[in-house]
Amino acid sequence: MTDPQRFLLTSDQNQEEANEIAISVATRIQLQDIKLVDVVLSVGEYLTDDDATIRAKSTAYLAAVLAALDPQVLIRQHIEVVGDYFCARIEDSSGLKEATNGLLALERARRFGADDARKVMRTIFTSAQDLQRHPQGTRFIVLSLVNRLMSNHREALKSMGNGYIVGITDLVAGEKDPRNLMIVFSMLKVVIIEWNISSHLESGKTMFDSVFCYFPITFRPPPDNPHGITAKDLKDRLKDCLAANALFAPHIFPALFDKIDSTSPAVKRDVLQALAACANSYDIATVSSVSIPLWDTVKFEVLNAQEDDLVEDALFAIKSVTRNLSYSLESAASSTPLTQFLSPIMKETSENLLEPQHKQAKQSGEILGAICAASPQAFGFVIRAILPTLLAIYQDKDTIGSQRSLLEITNRILDSAIMVLSDRGTQQRELSIGNPLEPLKDRLFELYCRALMGTNKEEVSFRIAANRGLIRLCRLPGYLTKSETGMIVQYMNEIVLDEEPYGANSIKDEAIKGLVELSELDHNALMEITFPAFMSKLPDSDKNGDGKYIAVLEGLAKLTKEKNVFDLLFRRLFSKLDSVMSSNSSATYPYALISTLIIVLEHNEVQNLDRTPYLVKALEGPLRQSLSATANALWHDPLVTEGLGRLLTVLVRDIAPGAQDELLRETIISELLQHGEILGWVNFDTSVIIFTHILAGLHSNVSIPTDSRQMITSLVDHRRFTSNSSVLNSRHQQIAIIVNKRFTASESEWLATLGTSLIKSISATEASNPNTIADIWVLLGLVRGLLLRLDLRVFDLLSSMVLVLSHESHGALFAKLISILLTPDPLISKRNHCIIRMLYPQRLFTFMLPLLAAPFEQGATASAEVKRNHLIAIARMLAFLHSEIVLPFAETLLPLLLQGIDQSDPDVKAASIDTLREMFISKTGGIESHLRAIVRRLLDASNAEGPQGGKTEKVRFEALRCLRVLPDIVKQEALIPLKNEVCGGLLGKLDDPRRKVRKEAVECRRAWLGLGEPDDDE
């Protein structure tokens, strides 16, 4: 069987095998075992076959051989013979795709020249004019060939002159496929730019028509969108075509002006973007000739703003015209196209500014801002034409509302001024007019300062506008002197530090933002003026209880953005901490000082600084004091200890492991680790809490002097020497961290044995006592450490733990504490290098739910108390689980949740109701069969009978919120029988003592009253 025969037989069933045949033939040609002419002759009988399919396959065979052949092998004779053959095949419509593939392969040859390119194009133009009747894939290959020829043989094709323009426009006419249009628009753009299309524009079917017929693009990609082509891709390519040649101007602008009246926002948006593209691309004379009509067309979209994105596009069109008309100008002289364009705009906007509170005044400010930002020349023109008028109008207005509007418009102009003047370094050749704002500096500075500091403190929005204006003046390059900038900084310091809060206190927030921005512009002003002013407001004691230091510390935290500022803050706050600890102060104040440093380290730009020197200072200063038995009692306060521990964690965790090792050897941490106190069997609780926080920040590969097993054993053996809840929690955290980070999988057996012994100890204790509480905390720490990394041993421990829920004395306590396994803990986190698997909550819930639901199964003999403990455990776990984890178990959970709502524990009630609501929203099946029971329980839970029945404000609110979603979720036929009962029951909730609950009751009753009523549309 010959190679062509084999190819024809296999190409339909196995294209890969067919390609292998073609590659084999190509290899033999390259080895000169056979000649290319012989290959062509071998398919001769198939090329004249009456069956069109066989003719197409034979052409595909030759194309595949050429594609596999090294292009350098082809000599000039080959190209002529094979090229003529493929051109002839193009005339056979059945083989268009295959012949085009062959020409694509042939075009790669080095000897494929200009004459060949012209011959192929003429063949395509004459033989493939009915291209649209072919499938998309065939059209794509033909267009790809044309695009390749344009890329590689452009001069040859340009020599075809007007014939090429006519041919290409006829070829692509009617194309609608997005993938093909991407190629079409790219080719037409090249033709529009590089060919002489002037004569073609005058013919009956213009080049413009062939492009503009696609405007506007209405394509919407399919959901799967296999080629990734979006409507924006097509629109951008079409815009590039329309903006490619100013010869389109007489046709495109009238057409776009007509289409902007469309009621479709999408069409308006496309028109505005096309206008901007043309204005950016066309020459000055062309743009100048249409600038006034364009303004008259576009201004409506800005002055009568309906959609923000349309306003932005309209402003960009105005800005594009302004920028184009500014090219090559030294200034906006009276006779230039720029002046002719801007003069009527200035007149109209000035008239609008006379009524500052009207909508068109604000939009006029947007227009002025866009024009100012377009070019230095336009900026200078607007400032001289408008700003003196605007300031005069401000002086004439005597209402705060009007003055505020004018300040906001001025701020918008200043925004553009900052853009233009900050860019002047690259525009010196274009701009020789200086800063046109310079003559107005004193007036602007005085106006803004008086508005900020000389206005009634209740005029918050007005003062905010003034504050923002002063910041803009500072940002203008070289505009204000150092003393003027310093005065503005002092004003903002005064607002933050001395003014009493008013309303939402937004002026203080704006002042802080202003100081942050000014610190980036003038770092010295912050260090020399603001920082000393803020620090002077920090008292040595908070015994007066006014809490004013909170605002000061918040300001300092927001202002600390750089390393040298943090250095100063760290030193000053540590110094202040020493004086506060020796005074008669509450623990809240030192805790706030420490928390300020934590906030800066965690949330500001100083996150990447080297923390080692700060840690050393913290260890040798505050830490030694807190661990000293002779230190002030305030150092041992639980709140101060917690704050100091958090600071140490934040400082330790971002230090590299090698540096952590060095710190362990050379600092007080080494003393602590080797000292018996740290393991917690002496009554010095501070050391336990501090060590827990240090341990949390250490990398798992940092070695510590004490063996991990020894530490766990000591913590377990001496767990019963305290009832302090903070110490219990710290021991729990210590165990979880050590187990999670410092035990390998091979050591899990030892941990499982230890956990089993703890469970037996808890179960064997008859009465609840502090020792039992300590045992439970330690056990949960051990289990938590294993669970977070999904150690397989943990599931045996979980099975045994469930039995504790049945204990007469400990079951209720264990039910409340078991949710700690899911409770987020800032110390036991990935941020602190713990191993935490993403699926651990899901694995825990799916494993525990069947065990916890077992007492409620038919035939179970569990007591009411045991069932209650299991319900509490389920509900408390649900509070920390995402609905995606819970909803698949709705059928099991629904009866349990109804019983959970009946419990007196408010946390159980709230968690049950919240889970029930998630089931409603997700339209979980099976709800309707329990509908009456659900509704009555929710109505009962929303009664304001005091917290003794578990019906707290949160429970009542959640019950009403859950009840409110039912009319939107459940079929009306099922709810209408309950409508009167619900609406009547909700009447009493309208008098709830809490406003939040009353409001929800109103919304809930409205939703239920609407059941069975016709919609407004009906």
Side-chain angles (χ1 to χ4, degrees):
M1 187 179 295
T2 63
D3 291 327
Q5 290 174 331
R6 290 168 54 213
F7 184 92
L8 267 60
L9 287 173
T10 58
S11 58
D12 285 338
Q13 291 83 15
N14 191 335
Q15 186 61 46
E16 188 174 336
E17 184 179 344
N19 290 337
E20 291 294 333
I21 295 171
I23 292 171
S24 173
V25 173
T27 303
R28 289 157 58 197
I29 292 173
Q30 290 176 189
L31 295 173
Q32 299 184 357
D33 291 343
I34 57 174
K35 296 181 178 180
L36 180 59
V37 175
D38 296 333
V39 175
V40 175
L41 293 174
S42 69
V43 295
E45 61 180 296
Y46 305 111
L47 297 176
T48 58
D49 197 282
D50 294 336
D51 189 337
T53 303
I54 293 178
R55 296 200 304 273
K57 287 183 178 180
S58 63
T59 305
Y61 168 68
L62 289 179
V65 171
L66 275 179
L69 195 62
D70 183 354
Q72 306 307 318
V73 173
L74 297 174
I75 61 175
R76 183 66 203 156
Q77 182 184 5
H78 291 156
I79 292 172
E80 290 178 356
V81 172
V82 178
D84 288 342
Y85 163 73
F86 282 129
C87 286
R89 289 299 92 202
I90 287 179
E91 299 173 2
D92 184 355
S93 60
S94 62
L96 177 60
K97 177 181 178 180
E98 293 76 13
T100 305
N101 275 326
L103 288 169
L104 277 168
L106 193 65
E107 190 275 336
R108 296 181 300 132
R110 180 168 53 86
R111 295 179 177 85
F112 187 92
D115 291 337
D116 302 308
R118 284 190 288 266
K119 179 172 63 177
V120 171
M121 286 306 308
R122 290 191 186 101
T123 303
I124 292 174
F125 288 159
T126 57
S127 302
Q129 286 302 313
D130 55 350
L131 188 62
Q132 296 309 307
R133 71 183 181 85
H134 290 276
Q136 182 275 334
T138 300
R139 303 199 308 273
F140 179 78
I141 292 173
V142 172
L143 294 173
S144 297
L145 174 60
V146 176
N147 189 49
R148 176 93 67 81
L149 292 172
M150 286 186 66
S151 298
N152 298 336
H153 305 277
R154 187 167 302 170
E155 293 302 319
L157 300 185
K158 286 170 70 174
S159 68
M160 295 173 67
N162 197 54
Y164 186 84
I165 300 174
V166 174
I168 193 73
T169 52
D170 289 344
L171 181 70
V172 302
E175 182 59 64
K176 295 180 180 179
D177 183 81
R179 190 180 175 198
N180 293 347
L181 283 176
M182 293 291 286
I183 300 177
V184 168
F185 291 151
S186 295
M187 294 190 299
L188 290 181
K189 178 185 175 183
V190 173
V191 173
I192 292 167
I193 293 175
E194 299 191 22
W195 267 255
N196 180 10
I197 64 171
S198 57
S199 60
H200 196 61
L201 281 167
E202 298 168 359
S203 64
K205 182 174 176 57
T206 66
M207 173 65 77
F208 171 75
D209 290 333
S210 67
V211 176
F212 196 74
C213 66
Y214 292 103
F215 189 90
I217 296 287
T218 57
F219 168 68
R220 289 186 179 181
D224 53 348
N225 197 13
H227 305 299
I229 298 172
T230 65
K232 184 179 183 304
D233 296 330
L234 290 169
K235 290 178 180 181
D236 288 345
R237 295 246 176 136
L238 179 58
K239 275 190 302 183
D240 290 343
C241 286
L242 295 175
N245 197 315
L247 290 171
F248 282 173
H251 308 280
I252 191 170
F253 284 111
L256 291 176
F257 293 162
D258 287 341
K259 287 184 179 291
I260 203 170
D261 293 330
S262 170
T263 57
S264 167
V267 174
K268 284 179 177 288
R269 188 177 304 112
D270 291 344
V271 170
L272 292 169
Q273 291 175 0
L275 287 171
C278 294
N280 273 321
S281 179
Y282 293 172
D283 59 88
I284 293 177
T286 300
V287 174
S288 178
S289 66
V290 298
S291 60
I292 301 301
L294 188 147
W295 158 250
D296 292 334
T297 302
V298 168
K299 67 182 180 182
F300 178 85
E301 303 301 330
V302 183
L303 297 176
N304 301 278
Q306 296 177 345
E307 295 191 23
D308 290 342
D309 57 343
L310 289 180
V311 173
E312 290 178 10
D313 288 330
L315 290 172
F316 186 68
I318 296 171
K319 182 178 179 180
S320 299
V321 174
T322 307
R323 183 188 295 118
N324 185 304
L325 298 179
S326 301
Y327 288 146
S328 303
L329 293 179
E330 287 295 324
S331 64
S334 58
S335 60
T336 63
L338 176 64
T339 305
Q340 295 168 6
F341 171 61
L342 293 182
S343 294
I345 299 178
M346 296 303 104
K347 180 181 178 182
E348 189 166 346
T349 52
S350 296
E351 293 172 355
N352 292 334
L353 294 177
L354 294 174
E355 299 294 337
Q357 290 186 280
H358 287 186
K359 179 181 179 181
Q360 290 195 344
K362 177 185 177 183
Q363 297 308 112
S364 295
E366 295 296 325
I367 292 171
L368 293 171
I371 292 173
C372 283
S375 69
Q377 298 81 6
F379 166 63
F381 184 88
V382 172
I383 294 301
R384 293 182 175 86
I386 289 293
L387 202 53
T389 304
L390 193 151
L391 295 178
I393 296 172
Y394 179 90
Q395 297 297 336
D396 291 341
K397 298 297 179 182
D398 54 3
T399 64
I400 292 295
S402 295
Q403 291 182 336
R404 183 187 68 244
S405 299
L406 291 169
L407 281 186
E408 290 171 347
I409 292 170
T410 308
N411 288 348
R412 177 66 182 89
I413 294 173
L414 290 177
D415 282 333
S416 299
I418 293 167
M419 293 174 56
V420 172
L421 296 175
S422 298
D423 233 10
R424 279 179 57 186
T426 60
Q427 299 173 344
Q428 288 300 318
R429 286 172 295 183
E430 300 178 24
L431 184 66
S432 59
I433 57 176
N435 182 355
L437 284 170
E438 196 65 41
L440 300 168
K441 185 181 83 168
D442 292 341
R443 292 176 65 186
L444 285 170
F445 186 74
E446 180 185 359
L447 179 149
Y448 277 116
C449 289
R450 186 185 301 135
L452 179 64
M453 303 306 293
T455 307
N456 191 313
K457 300 299 183 284
E458 296 179 1
E459 300 295 346
V460 176
S461 59
F462 179 57
R463 299 182 70 208
I464 287 175
N467 186 83
R468 292 173 179 174
L470 285 172
I471 296 300
R472 285 160 171 78
L473 292 181
C474 291
R475 290 182 60 196
L476 289 169
Y479 192 59
L480 296 184
T481 64
K482 184 176 181 180
S483 62
E484 288 168 336
T485 302
M487 187 182 300
I488 294 173
V489 171
Q490 290 176 0
Y491 286 157
M492 295 183 185
N493 291 345
E494 183 179 333
I495 291 171
V496 176
L497 299 174
D498 298 332
E499 288 191 10
E500 292 296 325
Y502 180 81
N505 209 22
S506 53
I507 185 62
K508 285 181 175 284
D509 295 336
E510 285 293 325
I512 285 289
K513 291 178 184 176
L515 287 171
V516 171
E517 198 166 344
L518 288 176
S519 70
E520 297 171 358
L521 300 171
D522 186 356
H523 177 74
N524 291 331
L526 176 69
M527 303 292 283
E528 296 171 5
I529 303 174
T530 298
F531 227 85
F534 273 61
M535 291 302 301
S536 68
K537 293 293 183 179
L538 290 177
D540 289 334
S541 173
D542 68 341
K543 55 186 176 183
N544 58 3
D546 59 12
K548 288 184 177 180
Y549 60 84
I550 296 295
V552 178
L553 291 173
E554 287 177 353
L556 286 169
K558 292 175 182 177
L559 290 169
T560 305
K561 301 287 185 181
E562 299 176 1
K563 179 185 180 301
N564 52 354
V565 181
F566 181 73
D567 286 341
L568 180 60
L569 179 71
F570 193 88
R571 292 196 308 271
R572 293 288 184 88
L573 290 190
F574 263 38
S575 175
K576 180 62 66 175
L577 184 64
D578 285 337
S579 60
V580 168
M581 298 303 277
S582 60
S583 67
N584 185 21
S585 177
S586 71
T588 306
Y589 186 20
Y591 180 78
L593 292 171
I594 297 170
S595 296
T596 302
L597 294 172
I598 296 171
I599 290 170
V600 174
L601 287 166
E602 288 189 326
H603 302 294
N604 286 4
E605 287 80 352
V606 297
Q607 291 184 21
N608 297 324
L609 58 76
D610 180 12
R611 304 191 176 195
T612 305
Y614 306 107
L615 177 60
V616 171
K617 292 176 184 177
L619 293 174
E620 298 303 324
L623 180 57
R624 282 196 180 276
Q625 291 284 352
S626 67
L627 297 177
S628 171
T630 60
N632 188 310
L634 191 55
W635 282 107
H636 304 148
D637 185 275
L639 188 61
V640 175
T641 303
E642 175 67 21
L644 182 58
R646 287 177 54 214
L647 176 62
L648 292 173
T649 301
V650 172
L651 289 171
V652 168
R653 69 186 177 198
D654 287 330
I655 297 175
Q660 285 187 354
D661 274 323
E662 187 176 344
L663 284 166
L664 290 182
R665 291 194 304 270
E666 299 179 1
T667 64
I668 189 175
I669 302 178
S670 176
E671 300 173 32
L672 293 174
L673 289 170
Q674 298 175 26
H675 200 285
E677 290 175 344
I678 201 58
L679 297 178
W681 59 78
V682 180
N683 61 355
F684 198 24
D685 297 338
T686 302
S687 60
V688 178
I689 298 171
I690 291 294
F691 173 67
T692 303
H693 284 81
I694 294 174
L695 183 68
L698 295 176
H699 290 270
S700 58
N701 57 346
V702 174
S703 59
I704 54 179
T706 308
D707 178 70
S708 297
R709 284 199 186 190
Q710 179 188 346
M711 293 178 70
I712 292 290
T713 303
S714 299
L715 285 166
V716 172
D717 289 346
H718 301 89
R719 63 192 179 277
R720 298 179 177 177
F721 285 2
T722 183
S723 59
N724 185 318
S725 59
S726 298
V727 176
L728 285 174
N729 184 47
S730 289
R731 285 193 174 131
H732 163 85
Q733 292 169 325
Q734 274 189 45
I735 291 174
I737 291 167
I738 295 169
V739 168
N740 183 268
K741 294 201 292 189
R742 299 189 172 277
F743 276 82
T744 62
S746 60
E747 297 174 297
S748 299
E749 181 67 36
W750 182 83
L751 292 170
T753 303
L754 181 61
T756 302
S757 67
L758 282 169
I759 294 172
K760 290 179 180 178
S761 172
I762 295 169
S763 301
T765 307
E766 295 183 359
S768 182
N769 57 54
N771 292 340
T772 305
I773 296 174
D775 288 349
I776 292 174
W777 277 95
V778 168
L779 171 64
L780 290 173
L782 190 150
V783 172
R784 189 179 197 174
L786 292 170
L787 175 66
L788 292 176
R789 68 187 197 193
L790 286 180
D791 193 296
L792 295 178
R793 295 286 183 182
V794 77
F795 296 103
D796 292 334
L797 290 176
L798 289 171
S799 298
S800 303
M801 280 171 51
V802 173
L803 300 177
V804 180
L805 293 172
S806 303
H807 196 284
E808 182 178 352
S809 301
H810 314 321
L813 172 66
F814 194 75
K816 292 179 180 180
L817 291 178
I818 197 171
S819 62
I820 199 173
L821 298 176
L822 291 166
T823 306
D825 191 309
L827 289 188
I828 310 171
S829 63
K830 282 190 174 182
R831 188 76 178 83
N832 288 332
H833 321 298
C834 289
I835 304 168
I836 300 179
R837 307 299 181 196
M838 288 183 62
L839 293 179
Y840 92 87
Q842 184 174 346
R843 291 285 301 275
L844 173 66
F845 185 69
T846 55
F847 182 80
M848 292 289 284
L849 182 59
L851 300 177
L852 295 174
F856 302 93
E857 294 176 355
Q858 189 173 4
T861 58
S863 66
E865 185 64 24
V866 170
K867 289 182 177 180
R868 178 180 178 277
N869 293 342
H870 281 243
L871 274 178
I872 292 172
I874 292 173
R876 287 182 175 267
M877 290 176 67
L878 289 175
F880 298 100
L881 293 168
H882 292 294
S883 58
E884 294 86 353
I885 298 174
V886 175
L887 292 178
F889 302 93
E891 186 176 346
T892 303
L893 281 172
L894 194 53
L896 303 180
L897 294 175
L898 295 179
Q899 295 184 53
I901 298 175
D902 294 334
Q903 299 296 314
S904 59
D905 187 323
D907 292 335
V908 175
K909 277 183 177 289
S912 300
I913 293 170
D914 187 59
T915 306
L916 201 59
R917 181 173 175 273
E918 292 292 340
M919 289 183 180
F920 293 163
I921 293 173
S922 64
K923 299 183 179 179
T924 303
I927 291 174
E928 293 188 9
S929 59
H930 297 274
L931 202 54
R932 188 172 294 274
I934 291 172
V935 168
R936 288 179 175 174
R937 281 176 167 82
L938 291 175
L939 281 173
D940 180 69
S942 62
N943 287 329
E945 298 176 353
Q948 60 270 26
K951 300 171 186 176
T952 60
E953 177 188 353
K954 179 182 178 182
V955 169
R956 302 197 304 275
F957 175 78
E958 292 294 339
L960 291 169
R961 199 162 73 114
C962 185
L963 200 57
R964 179 162 62 92
V965 301
L966 282 173
D968 296 329
I969 304 299
V970 181
K971 294 178 180 178
Q972 291 200 12
E973 310 87 76
L975 293 178
I976 287 177
L978 299 169
K979 177 179 176 180
N980 291 337
E981 180 181 351
V982 173
C983 292
L986 289 172
L987 285 173
K989 284 67 174 176
L990 302 177
D991 297 324
D992 193 280
R994 308 303 296 181
R995 181 179 180 276
K996 178 180 178 182
V997 179
R998 293 196 301 271
K999 182 180 178 183
E1000 189 62 34
V1002 171
E1003 296 296 329
C1004 182
R1005 193 164 186 271
R1006 180 183 292 121
W1008 278 81
L1009 284 171
L1011 288 171
E1013 300 296 328
D1015 294 335
D1016 292 340
D1017 294 339
E1018 298 176 11

